[in-house]
Amino acid sequence: MRGFSARLRAARPDPGEWTIGAALWGLAMALCICFSLTLNQRLPEIHLPRLLLVYFAGGMLAWLITLPLIRFCALGRAPETRFAASFLFLTIGTTAATALIFALQYRLFYAQWHAPFGTRIWAFQFVFTSASAAYQFAVLGLRLYLPLGLLFLTGASLLLAHRSR
């Protein structure tokens, strides 16, 4: 267990890298959606600030959660392994965090028509509304990361693989 705790301490990110990286990754994810919507000529004027905020917050949350995981798994490994860990964790983390924020916003909108908190019907409504939001994000929201998101993901993974030697 001693090796695990030492590895955990060594994987702790620098506070500057953690916070500045989170802001930059969130900004990159918001830029992805803006570029993708502009490229497809579907830039919604009314809901754009809310969409940008969802993707920005998802990117920030993902960076804050995944950076320690990346550093923990990549510590002392070969550059290829560090790159793969960065690519994998940033992909899954960004997708999951943004989907979670999207689902929470989705749930917030539909909560006005749901049963009172704590009832069996409320639990079903909560589960199925969240599942619907996750499905809707998977179908409509994931493609908004392309094409710019793949470039940002590759660049961030290369940078993290280089920095975490």
Side-chain angles (χ1 to χ4, degrees):
M1 229 7 148
R2 184 174 203 172
F4 179 77
S5 61
R7 187 176 185 90
L8 199 58
R9 273 193 309 278
R12 187 177 332 135
D14 177 51
E17 181 183 16
W18 217 359
T19 55
I20 293 171
L24 289 175
W25 188 248
L27 196 61
M29 295 304 100
L31 185 60
C32 286
I33 183 177
C34 201
F35 182 78
S36 180
L37 289 172
T38 303
L39 191 65
N40 294 322
Q41 298 175 349
R42 296 179 16 160
L43 202 61
E45 297 170 9
I46 297 173
H47 298 291
L48 185 61
R50 187 173 287 161
L51 283 171
L52 291 174
L53 184 62
V54 167
Y55 279 75
F56 176 77
M60 280 190 69
L61 181 62
W63 185 270
L64 293 172
I65 292 170
T66 60
L67 187 61
L69 292 172
I70 292 167
R71 291 176 57 109
F72 181 80
C73 291
L75 193 66
R77 308 280 188 204
E80 301 85 20
T81 307
R82 294 192 305 261
F83 175 80
S86 300
F87 198 90
L88 177 71
F89 283 120
L90 275 177
T91 300
I92 293 171
T94 303
T95 303
T98 309
L100 174 69
I101 291 171
F102 182 80
L104 290 173
Q105 197 278 330
Y106 197 89
R107 167 76 178 111
L108 188 64
F109 175 76
Y110 284 105
Q112 59 188 329
W113 295 292
H114 285 193
F117 174 75
T119 63
R120 183 182 300 170
I121 294 173
W122 174 87
F124 280 116
Q125 289 170 332
F126 180 80
V127 168
F128 286 104
T129 301
S130 300
S132 298
Y135 175 75
Q136 185 175 358
F137 178 78
V139 171
L140 299 173
L142 282 179
R143 64 188 164 115
L144 296 176
Y145 284 120
L146 298 173
L148 212 51
L150 193 56
L151 294 172
F152 286 144
L153 181 62
T154 304
S157 298
L158 284 170
L159 185 67
L160 288 172
H162 176 72
R163 287 185 55 109
S164 64
R165 278 189 251 168

